[in-house]
Amino acid sequence: MPKINSPDELEHVRQKILSRRDPSKPCVSICAGTGCLASGASEVIAAFEAEIEKQGLKTKVTTKGTGCPGFCERGPVVVIYPEEICYLQVKPEDVPEIVSQTIRERKVVDRLLYVDPATGEKATRESDIPFYKNQIRNIIGNNIRIDPKSIDDYLALGGYSALAKVLFRMTSEQVLEEVKKSNLRGRGGGGFPTGRKWEESRNAPNEIKYVIVNADEGDPGAFMDRAILEGNPHSILEGLIIGGYAIGSHEGYIYVRQEYPLAVENVIVAIKQAEAYGFLGENILGSGFDFTVKVHRGAGAFVSGESSALMTALEGRVGEPRPKYIHTAVKGLWDRPSVLNNVETWANVPLIINKGADWFAQSGSEGSKGTKIFSLVGKINNTGLVEVPMGITLRDIIFKVGGGIPGGKRFKAVQTGGPSGGCIPEEHLDMKVDFDELTKAGSMMGSGGMIVMDDDTCMVDVARYFLDFLSDESCGKCVPCREGIRQMLKILSNISKGKGKEGDIELLEELSGTTRDASLCALGRSAPNPVLSTIRYFRDEYEAHIKQKKCPAYSCREMVSYYIDPEKCQACMICLRKCPAEAVSGGKHQIHVIDQEKCTKCGTCFEICPPRFGAVKRISGESVPPPISEEKRIIVRESRKDE
Ligand SMILES: Cc1cc2nc3c(=O)[nH]c(=O)nc-3n(C[C@H](O)[C@H](O)[C@H](O)COP(=O)(O)O)c2cc1C
Ligand code: FES
């Protein structure tokens, strides 16, 4: 690769890349993100390469493995340009037909298109799919167009032009002012104004300063940072170098968890390519500015994503938080000024520089500008990564982008903000999703996890689940966090086992207050959120568990029982055969009975009993009726049919 020594040379290289690319030439983009790889994308890529060769199209078609466009649940995702035809859940055996029909004949293979579950309508182009149509994909939109291991793909889309702009046409003060003007707030959780943080570091009196990418992404179920790192690593590098220039730093770190091997691999490749082209190293693009980047693999502890813990881990010590009497922006890594920003925050920077702060601030709400990527999961039709403007309502995310709740069930709540976030109920579906509104509702933005729940979800159990996670992940260094979370977890576990006592809710509230006020870091300070938000919105569920020993969602196993209604049982033997615990007795002409001692409460019998019989009953908060006598269990099929 030739070293690029000026913005003119960069433009020349870009034009050369573009001149080698014919926009009318078919290009098959196959998502090679972790989600699609898990559902067989490697085999699909190999099948395309072989089939294209077999059909003699090698010089006429481009094939590439790309980053994740977000619709992982329907992967492997294939998009064929220039028409932008989008095929979902593609298998290697579909490939010959796609090549001969779509690539040769320009005909669409109908059965591989997205079908709207509500209307039955098919969508041919990626941008026609409701999941994508209702998003604004500034950050992840390019993923499906880029082979993450090809810097030329990034350059072809205008990559590194923001870097050239800042180095040659802007002073570092102007860069800082532009970021401040955009009102960009950190995407890693707290929503701290990025420009202010940069300014603090810039003004700190120390020759050596650092800029750091937080790619720890410890929230269970969240994978937006992974998708950006895997899919478009140069966008983060470009943002980081610009940040370094703005604050006067010449050294950057990417702290990425070890469990993201593809992200680590793609980032390392990207760094090597950027060095070869001269976007990293000494005298970048001939500007006189030097900047280097190192990758640090994190051991994968949730708490290591906290700023002071992350910096301690970068120093080679155990990743535990420390008191931050002085901001890490002033005294961070090796006690030097250090700007730590989240992956998505950095990825926004080149866009702000290229398109301007005013463009950025056009989308979003009053206090939260731009877009945010959410990991939309749980009881929702369209699962995946969604990028939406801040200020969009929860209802639009869940019903327009997410396609609503499967199986015609009712929406109950959405948990936002990762394990330390909160649950927001149906009555707040029309609230605007931004940093401030989510906090007001008792939750938080966090890094963008969004777990949708339907009526089958028990809110006490949800709080217990997250406290269980946090109790494992608390570093244990400070007592309020370590003991507070542990005690809250103990009470929640008792409540969900039917052992709750009067006063437990009040005790949970009290412990929440102390843990929130006295913990060392934000892990402990935000840990009560799942407890307090579920008590705030679903207090009646807590009371039902404690007073009536009833789980209204029939989810807490210890509080649920199953029995067979002898009046309705048809002795069909279905539940008897399927019960994994062999707890059902009976026969062809004998009414079935569940042995309560053996029953593991897995609910299989309830799920498979044919709805026209409806013989298996699920109860909570009441006693199981005594089984009928042996003689009465014998039934004559014909007579029962007449009933
Ligand atoms: C327990 C804990 C875990 C965190 N994990 C992450 C993480 O995985 N990624 C992240 O970007 N920020 C994480 N944060 C927030 C960081 O401390 C920090 O605020 C953030 O990286 C700053 O970047 P931003 O201003 O761009 O959001 C975590 C905070 C806490 C308290
Ligand atoms: S990994 Fe392929 S769509 Fe997400």
Side-chain angles (χ1 to χ4, degrees):
M1 274 179 203
K3 215 162 194 128
I4 301 174
N5 292 309
S6 69
D8 286 347
E9 271 185 43
L10 170 61
E11 208 34 50
H12 180 71
V13 169
R14 196 187 322 283
Q15 291 311 324
K16 217 164 131 191
I17 295 167
L18 289 173
S19 69
R20 288 198 299 262
R21 296 181 176 202
D22 173 4
S24 63
K25 181 177 167 183
C27 173
V28 185
S29 286
I30 306 132
C31 171
T34 295
C36 284
L37 288 175
S39 36
S42 299
E43 290 77 14
V44 175
I45 295 173
F48 267 109
E49 283 166 354
E51 191 61 30
I52 284 167
E53 170 115 53
K54 190 173 146 199
Q55 296 202 25
L57 296 169
K58 206 164 170 214
T59 54
K60 298 193 180 98
V61 181
T62 311
T63 312
K64 68 167 95 171
T66 70
C68 163
F71 212 5
C72 321
E73 186 212 354
R74 308 289 172 101
V77 174
V78 173
V79 181
I80 299 172
Y81 294 97
E83 292 87 355
E84 204 204 290
I85 297 166
C86 180
Y87 293 138
L88 302 171
Q89 290 174 324
V90 177
K91 294 185 202 62
E93 46 278 27
D94 299 320
V95 170
E97 191 182 351
I98 297 176
V99 176
S100 48
Q101 290 296 306
T102 309
I103 293 175
R104 274 195 179 281
E105 307 281 331
R106 310 242 153 173
K107 286 184 190 152
V108 173
V109 181
D110 252 26
R111 64 185 172 79
L112 296 172
L113 295 175
Y114 172 84
V115 185
D116 191 323
T119 61
E121 267 178 45
K122 290 188 168 155
T124 306
R125 287 150 46 92
E126 189 195 30
S127 50
D128 296 334
I129 298 174
F131 174 74
Y132 290 122
K133 202 159 70 183
N134 295 300
Q135 300 186 38
I136 296 186
R137 301 197 302 149
N138 294 340
I139 307 283
I140 49 169
N142 274 339
N143 275 17
I144 194 73
R145 294 171 177 272
I146 291 179
D147 169 358
K149 293 198 170 65
S150 158
I151 189 170
D152 284 3
D153 273 10
Y154 186 63
L155 291 175
L157 292 171
Y160 289 107
S161 54
L163 178 64
K165 182 174 172 184
V166 301
L167 293 181
F168 290 90
R169 288 168 34 210
M170 293 172 86
T171 61
S172 54
E173 291 87 343
Q174 284 171 324
V175 178
L176 177 66
E177 282 314 311
E178 198 65 16
V179 173
K180 274 169 70 183
K181 193 173 157 205
S182 73
N183 279 326
L184 172 66
R185 293 173 69 176
R187 291 342 194 204
F192 192 82
T194 305
R196 257 179 43 208
K197 193 191 283 187
W198 288 18
E199 190 168 40
E200 225 182 322
S201 265
R202 187 186 150 84
N203 293 341
N206 202 314
E207 278 297 295
I208 301 175
K209 298 173 185 184
Y210 303 105
V211 279
I212 308 165
V213 179
N214 190 341
D216 190 50
E217 197 164 54
D219 293 11
F223 59 108
M224 39 272 165
D225 295 348
R226 190 185 71 191
I228 309 172
L229 270 179
E230 282 179 4
N232 195 353
H234 285 287
S235 65
I236 299 150
L237 281 183
E238 189 176 3
L240 189 68
I241 308 166
I242 294 171
Y245 175 72
I247 72 151
S249 156
H250 301 279
E251 266 178 81
Y253 285 89
I254 299 180
Y255 182 99
V256 49
R257 59 175 44 227
Q258 177 75 31
E259 290 101 318
Y260 283 0
L262 187 58
V264 172
E265 184 184 319
N266 288 356
V267 165
I268 290 174
V269 170
I271 291 175
K272 287 201 176 122
Q273 291 174 339
E275 282 167 352
Y277 264 137
F279 300 122
L280 280 174
E282 286 180 7
N283 193 18
I284 294 172
L285 296 178
S287 66
F289 178 65
D290 308 334
F291 191 80
T292 54
V293 180
K294 288 197 185 89
V295 174
H296 180 100
R297 293 162 211 222
F302 177 66
V303 76
S304 299
E306 192 276 339
S307 54
S308 66
L310 184 146
M311 292 181 198
T312 312
L314 272 180
E315 290 168 3
R317 295 182 284 135
V318 176
E320 286 179 354
R322 57 176 167 75
K324 289 188 284 190
Y325 305 119
I326 304 173
H327 286 170
T328 49
V330 176
K331 214 169 170 211
L333 186 58
W334 290 297
D335 282 346
R336 291 171 181 141
S338 308
V339 164
L340 174 73
N341 277 127
N342 168 260
V343 169
E344 196 180 329
T345 316
W346 287 118
N348 270 296
V349 171
L351 296 176
I352 293 169
I353 297 298
N354 268 335
K355 301 190 178 190
D358 293 336
W359 164 84
F360 181 79
Q362 264 170 22
S363 57
S365 63
E366 185 59 33
S368 309
K369 301 296 182 193
T371 60
K372 175 79 194 88
I373 307 175
F374 291 97
S375 156
L376 190 61
V377 297
K379 305 285 181 65
I380 184 109
N381 276 316
N382 301 331
T383 300
L385 294 181
V386 304
E387 184 178 349
V388 287
M390 297 266 198
I392 187 175
T393 63
L394 271 174
R395 190 184 296 281
D396 281 352
I397 298 181
I398 292 164
F399 290 92
K400 279 195 185 157
V401 181
I405 316 300
K409 296 218 165 143
R410 245 190 70 205
F411 168 85
K412 182 170 186 178
V414 59
Q415 205 274 353
T416 71
S420 326
C423 294
I424 301 168
E426 197 180 3
E427 65 253 35
H428 288 304
L429 264 179
D430 290 311
M431 71 171 271
K432 291 196 156 117
V433 178
D434 69 14
F435 287 108
D436 310 316
E437 292 300 313
L438 284 170
T439 308
K440 263 192 241 161
S443 184
M444 60 182 197
M445 178 77 79
S447 58
M450 217 174 240
I451 304 169
V452 181
M453 301 163 194
D454 68 11
D455 265 345
D456 293 340
T457 316
C458 167
M459 303 316 286
V460 178
D461 196 46
V462 167
R464 188 204 54 76
Y465 170 82
F466 285 115
L467 270 276
D468 190 29
F469 174 86
L470 292 168
S471 151
D472 273 353
E473 296 293 335
S474 163
C475 73
K477 189 168 169 177
C478 76
V479 177
C481 170
R482 186 184 68 224
E483 289 308 319
I485 296 176
R486 193 185 296 178
Q487 292 310 318
M488 286 191 280
L489 174 61
K490 211 162 147 186
I491 298 167
L492 289 165
S493 301
N494 279 339
I495 298 177
S496 61
K497 283 180 187 153
K499 296 178 193 160
K501 300 188 298 290
E502 287 284 346
D504 275 354
I505 300 179
E506 292 70 21
L507 191 52
L508 280 171
E509 286 171 331
E510 200 184 325
L511 281 165
S512 291
T514 314
T515 309
R516 187 187 50 209
D517 296 342
S519 290
L520 170 66
C521 84
L523 189 151
R525 288 201 296 271
S526 56
N529 281 344
V531 183
L532 292 175
S533 67
T534 46
I535 293 179
R536 173 169 166 188
Y537 297 119
F538 299 95
R539 198 179 185 102
D540 53 336
E541 276 196 37
Y542 277 84
E543 282 168 355
H545 279 74
I546 295 167
K547 293 183 185 154
Q548 298 155 40
K549 306 297 171 206
K550 175 179 176 150
C551 172
Y554 299 101
S555 158
C556 297
R557 274 196 184 192
E558 267 100 337
M559 304 178 81
V560 175
S561 302
Y562 297 88
Y563 73 93
I564 297 171
D565 181 349
E567 297 296 322
K568 295 200 166 156
C569 179
Q570 302 295 316
C572 70
M573 310 255 293
I574 296 178
C575 64
L576 187 145
R577 287 199 193 100
K578 290 273 157 80
C579 174
E582 298 184 353
V584 181
S585 64
K588 228 173 173 186
H589 300 286
Q590 192 182 25
I591 286 170
H592 303 351
V593 170
I594 298 173
D595 181 338
Q596 297 298 323
E597 293 293 309
K598 284 191 188 167
C599 177
T600 59
K601 314 200 177 176
C602 66
T604 306
C605 53
F606 183 73
E607 278 158 27
I608 56 158
C609 178
R612 63 185 191 281
F613 303 159
V616 178
K617 302 290 171 198
R618 184 176 64 174
I619 52 169
S620 182
E622 42 187 307
S623 318
V624 176
I628 56 166
S629 64
E630 279 297 319
E631 312 84 74
K632 284 193 183 156
R633 286 181 68 184
I634 307 298
I635 60 165
V636 180
R637 225 167 227 290
E638 290 311 310
S639 69
R640 181 138 283 192
K641 260 191 196 161
D642 296 341
E643 279 172 15

Short mmCIF file of all heavy atoms in Angstrom, two decimals, residues 186-192 194 197 214-219 225 302-303 305-307 324 340-343 345 521-523, ligand 1:
data_model
loop_
_atom_site.label_atom_id
_atom_site.label_comp_id
_atom_site.label_asym_id
_atom_site.label_seq_id
_atom_site.Cartn_x
_atom_site.Cartn_y
_atom_site.Cartn_z
N GLY A 186 -22.20 11.10 25.38
CA GLY A 186 -21.58 9.77 25.36
C GLY A 186 -22.60 8.65 25.27
O GLY A 186 -23.59 8.63 25.99
N ARG A 187 -22.34 7.71 24.39
CA ARG A 187 -23.28 6.60 24.14
C ARG A 187 -23.04 5.41 25.05
O ARG A 187 -23.72 4.39 24.93
CB ARG A 187 -23.17 6.13 22.70
CG ARG A 187 -23.64 7.04 21.55
CD ARG A 187 -24.53 8.15 21.90
NE ARG A 187 -25.17 8.73 20.73
CZ ARG A 187 -25.64 9.97 20.67
NH1 ARG A 187 -25.52 10.78 21.72
NH2 ARG A 187 -26.24 10.42 19.60
N GLY A 188 -22.06 5.51 25.96
CA GLY A 188 -21.71 4.36 26.79
C GLY A 188 -22.54 4.20 28.05
O GLY A 188 -22.40 3.22 28.77
N GLY A 189 -23.40 5.15 28.35
CA GLY A 189 -24.22 4.97 29.54
C GLY A 189 -24.66 6.28 30.15
O GLY A 189 -25.83 6.61 30.18
N GLY A 190 -23.70 7.06 30.62
CA GLY A 190 -24.04 8.25 31.40
C GLY A 190 -24.54 9.42 30.58
O GLY A 190 -25.17 10.33 31.12
N GLY A 191 -24.25 9.44 29.30
CA GLY A 191 -24.68 10.56 28.45
C GLY A 191 -23.95 11.85 28.75
O GLY A 191 -24.48 12.94 28.57
N PHE A 192 -22.70 11.74 29.19
CA PHE A 192 -21.93 12.94 29.51
C PHE A 192 -21.57 13.68 28.21
O PHE A 192 -21.21 13.04 27.22
CB PHE A 192 -20.65 12.54 30.26
CG PHE A 192 -19.94 13.70 30.89
CD1 PHE A 192 -20.36 14.19 32.11
CD2 PHE A 192 -18.87 14.33 30.24
CE1 PHE A 192 -19.72 15.28 32.69
CE2 PHE A 192 -18.23 15.41 30.81
CZ PHE A 192 -18.66 15.89 32.04
N THR A 194 -19.75 15.00 25.31
CA THR A 194 -18.43 14.60 24.83
C THR A 194 -17.48 15.80 24.72
O THR A 194 -16.32 15.73 25.14
CB THR A 194 -18.58 13.90 23.46
OG1 THR A 194 -19.51 12.82 23.64
CG2 THR A 194 -17.27 13.37 22.93
N LYS A 197 -16.02 16.84 28.01
CA LYS A 197 -15.00 15.90 28.49
C LYS A 197 -13.68 16.16 27.75
O LYS A 197 -12.61 16.22 28.36
CB LYS A 197 -15.46 14.46 28.25
CG LYS A 197 -14.65 13.42 28.97
CD LYS A 197 -14.96 12.02 28.51
CE LYS A 197 -16.24 11.47 29.06
NZ LYS A 197 -16.43 10.05 28.72
N ASN A 214 -13.89 2.65 24.63
CA ASN A 214 -14.45 1.66 25.54
C ASN A 214 -15.29 0.67 24.74
O ASN A 214 -16.40 0.95 24.31
CB ASN A 214 -15.33 2.36 26.59
CG ASN A 214 -15.74 1.41 27.71
OD1 ASN A 214 -15.68 0.20 27.55
ND2 ASN A 214 -16.15 1.97 28.84
N ALA A 215 -14.69 -0.49 24.49
CA ALA A 215 -15.41 -1.55 23.76
C ALA A 215 -15.54 -2.76 24.66
O ALA A 215 -15.38 -3.89 24.24
CB ALA A 215 -14.66 -1.91 22.48
N ASP A 216 -15.84 -2.48 25.94
CA ASP A 216 -15.98 -3.59 26.89
C ASP A 216 -17.35 -4.26 26.73
O ASP A 216 -17.48 -5.47 26.85
CB ASP A 216 -15.79 -3.10 28.33
CG ASP A 216 -15.68 -4.26 29.29
OD1 ASP A 216 -14.87 -5.15 29.01
OD2 ASP A 216 -16.40 -4.30 30.30
N GLU A 217 -18.35 -3.46 26.48
CA GLU A 217 -19.72 -3.90 26.22
C GLU A 217 -20.12 -5.14 27.05
O GLU A 217 -20.27 -6.24 26.52
CB GLU A 217 -19.94 -4.18 24.73
CG GLU A 217 -21.43 -4.23 24.40
CD GLU A 217 -21.68 -4.12 22.89
OE1 GLU A 217 -21.11 -4.90 22.12
OE2 GLU A 217 -22.45 -3.25 22.51
N GLY A 218 -20.32 -4.88 28.33
CA GLY A 218 -20.62 -6.00 29.23
C GLY A 218 -22.09 -6.28 29.44
O GLY A 218 -22.44 -7.29 30.06
N ASP A 219 -22.98 -5.42 28.96
CA ASP A 219 -24.40 -5.65 29.20
C ASP A 219 -24.85 -6.94 28.54
O ASP A 219 -24.62 -7.13 27.35
CB ASP A 219 -25.25 -4.52 28.59
CG ASP A 219 -25.03 -3.20 29.29
OD1 ASP A 219 -24.09 -3.10 30.08
OD2 ASP A 219 -25.81 -2.26 29.02
N ASP A 225 -21.89 -2.28 20.00
CA ASP A 225 -20.49 -1.88 19.84
C ASP A 225 -19.73 -2.96 19.07
O ASP A 225 -18.87 -2.65 18.25
CB ASP A 225 -19.84 -1.68 21.22
CG ASP A 225 -20.46 -0.50 21.95
OD1 ASP A 225 -21.21 0.27 21.31
OD2 ASP A 225 -20.22 -0.34 23.17
N PHE A 302 -17.81 -7.27 33.72
CA PHE A 302 -18.73 -6.14 33.50
C PHE A 302 -18.18 -4.86 34.12
O PHE A 302 -18.20 -3.79 33.51
CB PHE A 302 -20.09 -6.52 34.10
CG PHE A 302 -21.12 -5.44 34.03
CD1 PHE A 302 -21.62 -5.00 32.81
CD2 PHE A 302 -21.61 -4.85 35.19
CE1 PHE A 302 -22.58 -4.00 32.75
CE2 PHE A 302 -22.56 -3.86 35.14
CZ PHE A 302 -23.05 -3.43 33.91
N VAL A 303 -17.65 -4.99 35.34
CA VAL A 303 -17.20 -3.80 36.07
C VAL A 303 -16.00 -3.14 35.39
O VAL A 303 -15.76 -1.94 35.55
CB VAL A 303 -16.92 -4.14 37.55
CG1 VAL A 303 -15.60 -4.88 37.72
CG2 VAL A 303 -16.95 -2.89 38.42
N GLY A 305 -15.76 -2.21 32.51
CA GLY A 305 -16.22 -1.19 31.56
C GLY A 305 -16.32 0.18 32.22
O GLY A 305 -16.41 1.20 31.54
N GLU A 306 -16.34 0.21 33.55
CA GLU A 306 -16.39 1.49 34.28
C GLU A 306 -15.05 2.20 34.05
O GLU A 306 -13.99 1.56 34.03
CB GLU A 306 -16.62 1.19 35.77
CG GLU A 306 -16.97 2.40 36.60
CD GLU A 306 -15.77 3.18 37.09
OE1 GLU A 306 -14.66 2.62 37.13
OE2 GLU A 306 -15.95 4.36 37.42
N SER A 307 -15.11 3.53 33.91
CA SER A 307 -13.92 4.26 33.41
C SER A 307 -12.65 4.03 34.24
O SER A 307 -11.60 3.69 33.68
CB SER A 307 -14.24 5.74 33.30
OG SER A 307 -14.73 6.23 34.52
N LYS A 324 -13.15 8.57 42.22
CA LYS A 324 -12.77 9.54 41.18
C LYS A 324 -12.95 10.96 41.72
O LYS A 324 -13.83 11.68 41.30
CB LYS A 324 -13.63 9.32 39.94
CG LYS A 324 -13.29 8.04 39.20
CD LYS A 324 -14.01 7.92 37.87
CE LYS A 324 -15.45 7.55 38.06
NZ LYS A 324 -16.13 7.20 36.81
N LEU A 340 -12.00 8.90 27.72
CA LEU A 340 -12.58 7.59 27.42
C LEU A 340 -13.95 7.80 26.81
O LEU A 340 -14.79 8.48 27.39
CB LEU A 340 -12.73 6.78 28.72
CG LEU A 340 -13.45 5.43 28.59
CD1 LEU A 340 -12.59 4.40 27.88
CD2 LEU A 340 -13.88 4.89 29.95
N ASN A 341 -14.15 7.27 25.63
CA ASN A 341 -15.48 7.32 25.02
C ASN A 341 -15.88 5.95 24.51
O ASN A 341 -15.04 5.12 24.17
CB ASN A 341 -15.53 8.32 23.86
CG ASN A 341 -15.74 9.75 24.33
OD1 ASN A 341 -14.99 10.65 23.98
ND2 ASN A 341 -16.76 9.96 25.13
N ASN A 342 -17.17 5.79 24.44
CA ASN A 342 -17.75 4.54 23.95
C ASN A 342 -17.54 4.41 22.43
O ASN A 342 -17.37 5.41 21.73
CB ASN A 342 -19.25 4.59 24.31
CG ASN A 342 -20.03 3.51 23.63
OD1 ASN A 342 -20.69 3.75 22.63
ND2 ASN A 342 -19.96 2.33 24.17
N VAL A 343 -17.58 3.17 21.95
CA VAL A 343 -17.41 2.89 20.51
C VAL A 343 -18.33 3.76 19.65
O VAL A 343 -17.90 4.39 18.67
CB VAL A 343 -17.74 1.39 20.25
CG1 VAL A 343 -17.84 1.08 18.77
CG2 VAL A 343 -16.69 0.49 20.90
N THR A 345 -19.87 6.50 20.40
CA THR A 345 -19.54 7.93 20.49
C THR A 345 -18.45 8.27 19.48
O THR A 345 -18.58 9.22 18.71
CB THR A 345 -19.04 8.28 21.92
OG1 THR A 345 -19.87 7.64 22.88
CG2 THR A 345 -19.02 9.77 22.16
N CYS A 521 -18.83 3.06 42.93
CA CYS A 521 -18.93 3.37 41.50
C CYS A 521 -20.36 3.21 41.02
O CYS A 521 -21.24 2.79 41.77
CB CYS A 521 -17.98 2.50 40.67
SG CYS A 521 -18.62 0.87 40.24
N ALA A 522 -20.56 3.53 39.75
CA ALA A 522 -21.93 3.53 39.21
C ALA A 522 -22.54 2.15 39.13
O ALA A 522 -23.76 2.04 38.96
CB ALA A 522 -21.94 4.20 37.85
N LEU A 523 -21.74 1.08 39.26
CA LEU A 523 -22.36 -0.24 39.27
C LEU A 523 -23.29 -0.34 40.47
O LEU A 523 -24.47 -0.65 40.35
CB LEU A 523 -21.30 -1.36 39.30
CG LEU A 523 -21.84 -2.78 39.08
CD1 LEU A 523 -20.79 -3.67 38.45
CD2 LEU A 523 -22.36 -3.44 40.34
C1 LIG B 1 -20.26 -1.07 35.79
C2 LIG B 1 -20.09 -0.22 34.59
C3 LIG B 1 -19.85 -0.78 33.36
C4 LIG B 1 -19.69 0.01 32.24
N1 LIG B 1 -19.50 -0.61 31.04
C5 LIG B 1 -19.33 0.15 29.94
C6 LIG B 1 -19.11 -0.46 28.68
O1 LIG B 1 -19.06 -1.68 28.56
N2 LIG B 1 -18.94 0.35 27.60
C7 LIG B 1 -18.98 1.72 27.70
O2 LIG B 1 -18.79 2.40 26.70
N3 LIG B 1 -19.20 2.32 28.88
C8 LIG B 1 -19.37 1.57 30.00
N4 LIG B 1 -19.57 2.19 31.20
C9 LIG B 1 -19.54 3.66 31.24
C10 LIG B 1 -18.11 4.15 31.36
O3 LIG B 1 -17.78 4.22 32.72
C11 LIG B 1 -17.90 5.55 30.75
O4 LIG B 1 -18.85 6.42 31.32
C12 LIG B 1 -18.05 5.58 29.25
O5 LIG B 1 -17.23 4.64 28.62
C13 LIG B 1 -17.70 6.96 28.75
O6 LIG B 1 -17.91 7.04 27.37
P1 LIG B 1 -19.06 7.93 26.75
O7 LIG B 1 -18.96 9.29 27.38
O8 LIG B 1 -18.75 7.95 25.29
O9 LIG B 1 -20.34 7.27 27.08
C14 LIG B 1 -19.76 1.42 32.34
C15 LIG B 1 -20.00 2.00 33.58
C16 LIG B 1 -20.17 1.20 34.69
C17 LIG B 1 -20.42 1.84 35.99
#
